[in-house]
Amino acid sequence: MEQHFKTIRQTRNNFIQLLDSCTLEEANQVPEGFNNNIIWNFGHIIASLHGLCYTLSGLKAKSSPDYLNEYKKGTKPERFIGQDELNELKDLMLNTVDELEEDLKNQVFINYNVYTTSYGVTLNDIQDAVQFFPIHDAYHYGCATAIKRIINNNKN
């Protein structure tokens, strides 16, 4: 599991660097042909951690339900995200991983409802969920990187 957490943290740090290279307008922009933006992809991986780990384990999510609902699967950006909220998301990006790792050590995940992701991967327990995050996070980081590239190309 240690290597999975290293990979998760590295991908999330890369994502923070990507956001730091954007203006707020760029991070909020939904390019033609897309249904989300860089910030939505960023928030989605945070919300997904809660859903796939805590909710499927029957545990209360540690983040606001409103926040989780805004970035869960099947949603799209509905409003402009300002700098204060973006800074909060950046803090959550790494803090949620630390909390998850601590909760795993404390064995708070007793039950788990089997779930098949839209990626086609069946998660049978919390270990499967943690092992899925490097793939999930990298996918959304890749989407955000593509959005950034399109935004930059449209400027020229």
Side-chain angles (χ1 to χ4, degrees):
M1 279 293 178
E2 184 178 327
Q3 184 60 39
H4 285 90
F5 278 102
K6 283 181 182 179
T7 303
I8 292 166
R9 283 188 178 92
Q10 185 60 54
T11 302
R12 290 175 179 221
N13 278 314
N14 291 347
F15 212 142
I16 289 169
Q17 289 174 359
L18 174 69
L19 267 172
D20 288 345
S21 75
C22 298
T23 65
L24 267 179
E25 290 72 24
E26 289 171 339
N28 277 280
Q29 184 178 343
V30 178
E32 187 176 330
F34 285 78
N35 62 359
N36 56 48
N37 58 29
I38 294 169
I39 291 177
W40 183 90
N41 279 280
F42 192 75
H44 173 70
I45 66 175
I46 300 166
S48 293
L49 183 144
H50 285 286
L52 295 177
C53 292
Y54 292 91
T55 304
L56 289 175
S57 294
L59 299 172
K60 186 176 183 319
K62 295 187 176 197
S63 292
S64 158
D66 291 338
Y67 164 74
L68 297 176
N69 287 333
E70 189 168 356
Y71 294 103
K72 71 181 179 182
K73 179 182 167 189
T75 63
K76 60 183 180 178
E78 299 290 339
R79 63 187 176 83
F80 187 88
I81 304 300
Q83 189 62 53
D84 289 343
E85 189 171 350
L86 180 56
N87 290 341
E88 185 179 319
L89 287 171
K90 287 178 183 179
D91 287 342
L92 285 171
M93 182 60 80
L94 298 176
N95 292 341
T96 54
V97 177
D98 295 339
E99 289 174 352
L100 174 61
E101 191 169 31
E102 186 66 25
D103 287 342
L104 280 168
K105 287 177 187 171
N106 293 329
Q107 300 179 343
V108 302
F109 300 100
I110 298 167
N111 299 313
Y112 195 85
N113 294 308
V114 175
Y115 177 77
T116 301
T117 69
S118 57
Y119 201 74
V121 174
T122 299
L123 308 177
N124 296 296
D125 54 31
I126 190 65
Q127 288 77 20
D128 287 352
V130 172
Q131 291 172 5
F132 178 68
F133 277 104
I135 297 165
H136 180 265
D137 291 5
Y139 171 79
H140 286 283
Y141 172 65
C143 291
T145 301
I147 291 170
K148 172 74 168 152
R149 190 173 301 123
I150 288 169
I151 291 169
N152 287 342
N153 287 342
N154 288 341
K155 286 182 185 178
N156 299 330

